[in-house]
Every structure is written in structure tokens, then in C-alpha cells.
Amino acid sequence: MRFQRSILLTCVAAIFVYAGCAGRSSAPAPSISVAFTGALPSSVQAGGTLKLTASVSNDPSNAGVDWSANCGSSGGCGSFNPTHTASGGPTTYTAPSAVPAGNVVTISAASTANTTKSFSTTITVTTPPISVSFPTAPPTSLQANASATLAAVVSNDSSNAGVDWSARCGTSGACGSFNPTHTASGSATTYTAPNTTPAGNAVIISATSTADNTKAATAQVSILTPQDSLLSGNYVFEVSGVDCSFFGCSPYSLAGQLTADGAGNVTSGEQDFSDYFSSAADGFTGTYSIGPDGRGTLTVDTGDFDLPGGGIETFSIVLVSGSHILVDEFDTSTTSSGTMDAQTVPASGFSADTLSGGYAFALSGLDFFAAPLSWGGVVNVDSPGGISGTGSVADINNGGSVQTSQSISGSVLSVDELGRADILLNAGPHAGVEIIAYIADATHLKVVEIDGILGVTGGTALGQGASTGTFTSNAAISGNFVLGALGIGSPFNSSTAAGQFSSDGAGNLSGVLDLSVEGLASNRNFTGTYSVDSSGTGRGTVTVEASTGVLGTFAFYLAGSGNPAMLVGMDENSTMSGTILPQAAGPFSAASFNGPYALNSIRDYFSNDFDITAEVTADGIANLTGTADTNGFWSAGLQPNVAMTGSFTADASGRFTGTLNAPNMGTWNVAFYVISSSEVLLVETDGINVTLGTLQLQTGIGP
């Protein structure tokens, strides 16, 4: 009986449970829905972007959102990034670049879990307004009558109507001109600045959309007063470097004479050119322009199509003064570096008698087997047009093969009315060496070798004047000096030597030297000995030593009391040439380096000739700023108006350390050797490149 009751209770309980379940109502699961979050824009410009988000509700799988766009133009309705997002995650919609048919796009956000669940909105795609821009900013300044190439781009102009160019300034009708005055979008025009500086010294250049003249790009250009009058009279010049023509690439030397009229014209000139393939003597005319900072351009046309560049030579120049100019050739056929100096014409004109006494010289370049070549010495013109050999001597370093104390004899073949002296020399075993010397004055010559016997070389000769033949003891060189030399060391790498030393007048010297060969630089204290030949020529030799051994052996040639000496390397590690310059008395301070300086430097010499002319201002505290023209033959090419900055830390010895920086050169570490407050030698010290240059204080430059 008890068993039956248990069964009954169990059944009754089951019945009640079933009845309870059957009596409870079952609600369906909520459906998935999609909605945009945030404000929805009603329109977007063609090519514009929108940030969009959408949320999915009631999706237990959290599958997210798929994005799509539809419009009346198949395939041109815009795009999403990303096309799939998590619920509430953002996407970027980019409208089509062109307005689609119907001007609208339907944007949809669909549930990934259930694609039948979506939300859509319609957005109008509008045409963006016309705009005008300069792809390359116009120059901030131009000299009067100078030209610049400009271009402007018009965006969103369906008619492609182009650009109209105009200029306005404070002087009506004198704001410059454009050729052409209308261009297609992106096409170039040439703007020529007015001949004279307008009121306010500035011009506003405008590039206006032809389709909508309310849309324009503008730029202000300062118009600078040229200083062409600073270059007036007769000048001689010499540059050496590398050229390339359809014959190939070659070492290159050029010397000449020109007449500038003070108004931007080279009225006449003549030059002698030499490279591996030819030598030539040509006349020329040309033009020049000089800006307020003393930087300028000089272009001459020889008409000799056999020369590199078809006989047209363009030089970047920077004036130290109206009588002394630093020069780089600045065209696509040649890199070179040198100087130009005012010419003093004797009252009776030039003749064979103009050259008299001893001339200390140093020339450098390459021989015809591409080996480095430096040679120097003293040529004594001891009779009208005659070089007997008395008081003359030469040293030749041909790739480390050195010939010392060679005899020199010869004659001055001719001197023309422009000061071009044709000189024939027999230098040791080398007979018939022909050099052309352009006479700046009786004690300063610009020299180029044209014969092809020794090689392609060029350089400078300095007259000894009344001191000819008087240098007979070591007392001839006594005091403080700065030396700088550039050339090629072993194994045929560009190299520099720069430093300062004190000489006791008795054959002993000591100082500091920065040596650099491509990829390696060092700064060392040194001692050394020197000896001046008792013959009186002014030739001497110096050996520089450090604790690690001999650093270099040089020959030097004195140009006179208080004047520079020419310098030639005399061992296999230093086929180079340069100068020894008397140094002003110290101690030196940051104030010793103060003012605007003309800069000229050569970087990497023949292996990768990179030449620089610049105006650099030192603030007398620690900073340098300036503008440079650079010509990197094998790499950077022609780059005008490069901003240059730098820094320096003064030292009482006159060896300042610092940096120079330019966008196309990076930052390089340098040492500045202060010769005086008006001249500073610079040498790169980081071992990355090989650079030697000069900074010379400008006088009489500027408005």
C-alpha cells in the first residue's frame, strides 16, 4: 500500500510540473537591428571623406557590420576603409573623385550575421570648389631684372581652363612680366622681375583660375637692388676641376681675363682651356648679375662648340670686395673652383718687361694616366723675356713619384695687350712645358698648363718682387702660420692637410694638424723641422712629425716678407698643393669670427668634385647663417640658393671647432683656422667627406 502511494504522488507531481510548463507563455528572441551612431552628414565633396559608425543590436555572435555604397554610376560610388567593422567601430568613407549620376550615393551598413538587416542613408556628392596652388613655392626674393620659372596647379576645374598670371606692386606698371601670361594647369611660365626696385621693394605674384577669377594663389617676392656696379674694370681668373662632354670626363683647368662694364655686361675677354681632350684659346663676351649679399652669376659665351657646354660657361661668384671674387663654375658640364682678381694694367701696357724677378708657384691636377700631379717652385725671369735658370727651381710629385730641386729654364714667348703671357719651360727632364699666365699685377698670376706634357694642371703664381734671391736662411720664415693643402693621397683618395704652427726662425716648428683622407680623419699635435735653401730662391722643405711617425713632407716657396708661401706635398701620401699664410697674433675669441664672409670650398676634389660658393654671416658668438650655390658633379647637381647654417666654438689658439649644415649636404664637422678676423680656413674633420675652403670677410658689399 505504501509503494502504491509513492507511485501516485510521483505521478501527481509530474502532472503538476507539466501543467505549470504548459501554462507559461514563450516570448520570441528580439531580432537583429542596425543603426548609424552620431550625426549623419547630408553631403560630401567629391573625393572627400566621412567618418561613420554603426551599431548592431541583438546579435549574440557579435559579427559586426559590412559597409557598401550604391549610386547611379557603376563602380564609382566611393570606398570604405575598412569595409568591415565591429559593432560601433569606425570606418572612413571616401567619396568618388567625380560626382556620380544623380549626384547621390546610398551608404548602407548591414549586419554581418543577418545581411537582411541593414540601415541606409542617402548623401549628396557635391563638386569641390576650384582652388589654385603652387607645386613649388616661388622664390622669396629676386634681383631686379632676374627671372624665375613658376607653375600653378588648378584643382577641380572641369573645364581645364588654366591659369592667368599677374603681378602687382607699389609702382604701377613696373612690377615685372610673364611669358606666357596664360598657362595650362601645371605648365610653366617665366616671370621677369622689373628692371628697377619698385616702391615697397616687393611684388605680389598671382596665379588666378581662368574658370573662376575669385580663386587664386599668391606669393610675395622681394625685389633686390643689384650691385652690378661693384664688378667694373679688368679681371683675371683661374678655376680647376672636372668637366664632361661627348668625349668623356676629364680634369679641367681654365684661366683668363675679362672686362666688366659695371652694368652687368662682360664686354670682352679671352681664356685658355685645357683638359684631356683638347686645349683652346678663345675670346668671349657675357653678362653678370650681383645681388645685395655679394652673390651672383657670371655667364660667358666663347662660341667654341668643341668646349664642354658648347662653349657657354656659367659661374657662381661671391664678392669679397670689388677687387677679389671667389668663383665656382656652375653649369651642367663642369665643376670647378678658383678665384678672380682685379687686374692692374701698367701705364705703358703689358709687355714682356712686365714679368720680372722670381715667382713662387704651385699647380695641381692629373697627369694623362689619371695619376695625381702637383708641381711647384720658383721661376725667375732674370732678363726681359728670359729665364736663364739662375734662381729657378721646381719640385714635381706625380702620384708619389717625386722629383726634387729640378732646374728650370725657358722664356716668355709673348705677352699680349690683355696680360696673357705665354711661357715655355724646361723643368728637369720635362722639356717644352707650356703654361699661360694671366697677369693680375706684377706679383700675381693665374696659371694654366696647356701643353699636355706634365698633365692638366692649374694654379697661382706669386711674385717675390724685391725679395727675389734674398731668401738664404731659416730666418726667412718665423712666427705663426696657417697652412692648407688639397690633393690626392695614397691610394688615390682625395685628401687635405690643414693646421697652424709656430716657427722659431731657426728650423724648428710645432703646431696642430688636421689630416683627412676619404673615410678617415685625424687631428694631431706635431713638431717638425724645416730648412730654407741657401741658394736664395725661397725654396724650403718641411717635415711634420707626430709620436706615431712622419705625417708629411712638403716643399714650400716663399713669396716675400709677410706674404703667403706656396706649398706642394712631397711624398707618396700627399700629392697636393696649397698655401702657408701668416697668422695674426692671438689670443683669438668668438669676436674674431664676426661679420659677412664670402665662402668657397671644394669637397672630395677629383673623385667626387663638389664645389660651393656662399655668403655666410658669423655672429661673433657661436652661430653661422648663409646662402650657398652648390655644384655636385656626380651626385646632387646644380642647387642654387641653398640655406646654410652652422655653429662654432672659439678657442684662444685660433683653431675653432664647429659644424656646417645644408639640406643637400647634411651636417658636417669642421675646424675653422682663424688666420685673422678677415680670413678663416675651414677643413672637414669628420672623415665622411674631404673638404677644404676659405671664408673671407666681405668689404663694401650690400646696400
Side-chain angles (χ1 to χ4, degrees):
M1 181 66 100
R2 201 178 290 172
F3 174 73
Q4 291 177 343
R5 185 179 178 188
S6 297
I7 293 174
L8 179 62
L9 290 173
T10 300
C11 291
V12 170
I15 290 169
F16 275 99
V17 169
Y18 176 79
C21 293
R24 185 180 300 164
S25 62
S26 176
S31 63
I32 291 174
S33 64
V34 183
F36 287 122
T37 57
L40 284 175
S42 60
S43 65
V44 65
Q45 291 182 6
T49 60
L50 298 174
K51 292 287 187 182
L52 302 173
T53 58
S55 296
V56 182
S57 301
N58 305 317
D59 176 13
S61 66
N62 291 319
V65 180
D66 295 316
W67 295 89
S68 63
N70 295 286
C71 63
S73 299
S74 177
C77 303
S79 62
F80 297 88
N81 184 21
T83 58
H84 173 84
T85 62
S87 175
T91 187
T92 299
Y93 169 69
T94 301
S97 57
V99 176
N103 297 353
V104 296
V105 169
T106 299
I107 292 174
S108 298
S111 165
T112 304
N114 184 351
T115 58
T116 65
K117 305 300 182 180
S118 65
F119 191 88
S120 299
T121 188
T122 299
I123 294 177
T124 301
V125 180
T126 62
T127 301
I130 288 175
S131 63
V132 185
S133 61
F134 296 115
T136 301
T140 57
S141 64
L142 278 175
Q143 293 180 41
N145 205 39
S147 297
T149 300
L150 308 175
V153 173
V154 183
S155 302
N156 309 316
D157 176 11
S158 59
S159 66
N160 293 318
V163 181
D164 296 314
W165 294 90
S166 61
R168 67 182 189 274
C169 64
T171 304
S172 178
C175 303
S177 61
F178 298 88
N179 184 22
T181 57
H182 174 84
T183 61
S185 174
S187 296
T189 187
T190 299
Y191 170 69
T192 301
N195 290 325
T196 58
T197 304
N201 301 329
V203 167
I204 304 297
I205 289 174
S206 297
T208 303
S209 165
T210 304
D212 182 355
N213 62 15
T214 67
K215 302 298 189 295
T218 62
Q220 179 170 304
V221 180
S222 297
I223 306 302
L224 307 177
T225 302
Q227 298 195 98
D228 296 348
S229 61
L230 292 176
L231 200 65
S232 181
N234 297 332
Y235 295 83
V236 297
F237 61 90
E238 186 275 331
V239 294
S240 295
V242 177
D243 70 31
C244 281
S245 66
F246 57 86
F247 295 112
C249 295
S250 166
Y252 154 87
S253 287
L254 177 72
Q257 185 269 1
L258 62 83
T259 300
D261 68 355
N265 302 294
V266 177
T267 57
S268 64
E270 67 175 350
Q271 67 173 38
D272 282 86
F273 159 89
S274 178
D275 69 6
Y276 276 162
F277 308 108
S278 65
S279 62
D282 295 293
F284 59 81
T285 58
T287 59
Y288 64 92
S289 179
I290 301 168
D293 62 357
R295 298 169 51 249
T297 300
L298 185 151
T299 300
V300 302
D301 186 355
T302 66
D304 188 342
F305 293 100
D306 292 330
L307 297 183
I312 297 176
E313 300 156 355
T314 300
F315 300 92
S316 172
I317 62 176
V318 56
L319 274 63
V320 178
S321 66
S323 60
H324 182 52
I325 300 98
L326 307 181
V327 180
D328 283 345
E329 189 154 352
F330 196 69
D331 52 44
T332 57
S333 63
T334 304
T335 60
S336 64
S337 186
T339 57
M340 184 165 71
D341 289 281
Q343 184 183 51
T344 301
V345 181
S348 57
F350 291 107
S351 68
D353 294 337
T354 304
L355 296 180
S356 179
Y359 292 86
F361 70 92
L363 281 71
S364 62
L366 298 179
D367 72 8
F368 281 85
F369 297 97
L373 175 68
S374 294
W375 64 298
V378 176
V379 171
N380 183 23
V381 183
D382 52 2
S383 64
I387 304 167
S388 69
T390 300
S392 297
V393 66
D395 298 286
I396 303 168
N397 186 344
N398 194 177
S401 176
V402 181
Q403 298 169 309
T404 62
S405 300
Q406 302 294 297
S407 62
I408 289 185
S409 62
S411 61
V412 180
L413 300 179
S414 64
V415 178
D416 70 12
E417 68 278 4
L418 298 180
R420 176 185 183 270
D422 189 350
I423 303 172
L424 194 65
L425 298 175
N426 302 308
H430 307 284
V433 178
E434 188 174 6
I435 63 173
I436 302 299
Y438 281 88
I439 305 170
D441 54 47
T443 60
H444 189 184
L445 315 176
K446 309 288 189 182
V447 181
V448 58
E449 182 185 355
I450 65 168
D451 55 74
I453 291 176
L454 285 174
V456 177
T457 63
T460 300
L462 301 176
Q464 294 177 326
S467 298
T468 299
T470 65
F471 307 101
T472 57
S473 72
N474 291 340
I477 180 167
S478 178
N480 297 325
F481 299 87
V482 170
L483 69 87
L486 174 71
I488 299 180
S490 178
F492 297 95
N493 290 321
S494 296
S495 60
T496 58
Q500 60 187 30
F501 65 89
S502 297
S503 166
D504 65 359
N508 304 293
L509 50 83
S510 62
V512 61
L513 192 68
D514 282 285
L515 294 172
S516 181
V517 180
E518 290 179 65
L520 179 66
S522 64
N523 169 249
R524 308 181 190 183
N525 294 322
F526 70 87
T527 58
T529 58
Y530 71 93
S531 176
V532 174
D533 294 356
S534 60
S535 62
T537 60
R539 177 189 182 274
T541 56
V542 58
T543 299
V544 177
E545 300 181 65
S547 59
T548 53
V550 175
L551 300 179
T553 302
F554 301 89
F556 60 85
Y557 316 98
L558 297 169
S561 177
N563 292 320
M566 307 307 294
L567 185 71
V568 171
M570 295 302 293
D571 57 59
E572 63 181 13
N573 296 316
S574 55
T575 308
M576 56 176 60
S577 66
T579 55
I580 298 174
L581 303 168
Q583 185 180 39
F588 298 96
S589 67
S592 305
F593 195 13
N594 187 21
Y597 289 80
L599 180 150
N600 178 241
S601 70
I602 302 173
R603 197 176 206 190
D604 284 353
Y605 203 42
F606 284 115
S607 62
N608 185 16
D609 200 12
F610 190 99
D611 298 307
I612 304 167
T613 53
E615 185 277 334
V616 174
T617 297
D619 65 0
I621 301 172
N623 304 296
L624 302 167
T625 56
T627 306
D629 295 326
T630 68
N631 189 357
F633 204 70
W634 309 112
S635 53
L638 302 177
Q639 296 200 31
N641 303 317
V642 177
M644 179 177 284
T645 59
S647 63
F648 63 92
T649 300
D651 186 90
S653 68
R655 182 186 183 271
F656 295 1
T657 56
T659 62
L660 285 175
N661 176 274
N664 61 330
M665 295 181 290
T667 299
W668 27 305
N669 297 327
V670 297
F672 299 99
Y673 284 97
V674 180
I675 300 164
S676 68
S677 60
S678 61
E679 187 170 7
V680 177
L681 183 78
L682 75 87
V683 60
E684 189 167 358
T685 59
D686 51 31
I688 299 172
N689 295 283
V690 175
T691 304
L692 186 71
T694 180
L695 295 116
Q696 299 179 25
L697 188 67
Q698 294 179 312
T699 57
I701 309 298

